[in-house]
Amino acid sequence: MTAAERQRCSGWLEAALAHAGGGHTLEDVWGLVDAGEAQAWPGDHAAMVTLIEDEPQARRLLIWLAGGDLEELVGRLRPRAEAWARTNGCQRVLIVGRPGWERALAPMGYAPLARIIAKEL
């Protein structure tokens, strides 16, 4: 990912981080991308960050952060990430996000798996 792409995508990813629980800064995200622990998917008007998660019985792609133009996210970046995940042995894609993602992705075969609830301590 080029410096220009990072600059262009920063606002979208910072907005996504604002809804992600406060556990990471944008600098943390870029550190994970640079270390090869996360994947950045820059678009012209949107961006996503994914992680591969290995469980004892399955490998999955987590779409961790996404922001910007919904049509580009759903129609362009998501399919690219899914194809990449398949070639890397993933059997499932998991998205942790707000309810609007469920509605937007239902036509592509996404369905609720679980609910995440949280409490600040």
Side-chain angles (χ1 to χ4, degrees), residues 38-103:
Q39 303 76 43
W41 302 91
D44 295 330
H45 304 285
M48 277 187 342
V49 178
T50 60
L51 302 162
I52 287 184
E53 298 182 328
D54 287 306
E55 297 180 330
Q57 304 302 314
R59 178 174 248 211
R60 67 182 177 207
L61 183 75
L62 172 66
I63 298 178
W64 174 34
L65 301 169
D69 181 70
L70 182 62
E71 288 185 25
E72 185 173 16
L73 287 165
V74 171
R76 183 169 163 236
L77 300 182
R78 177 199 53 84
R80 286 179 36 211
E82 287 179 6
W84 179 84
R86 279 187 202 94
T87 65
N88 283 276
C90 294
Q91 293 88 25
R92 171 179 282 160
V93 178
L94 180 68
I95 298 172
V96 177
R98 294 179 287 166
W101 287 108
E102 186 177 324
R103 290 187 299 273

Side-chain angles (χ1 to χ4, degrees), residues 4 8 27 109:
R8 185 179 72 247
E27 290 75 29

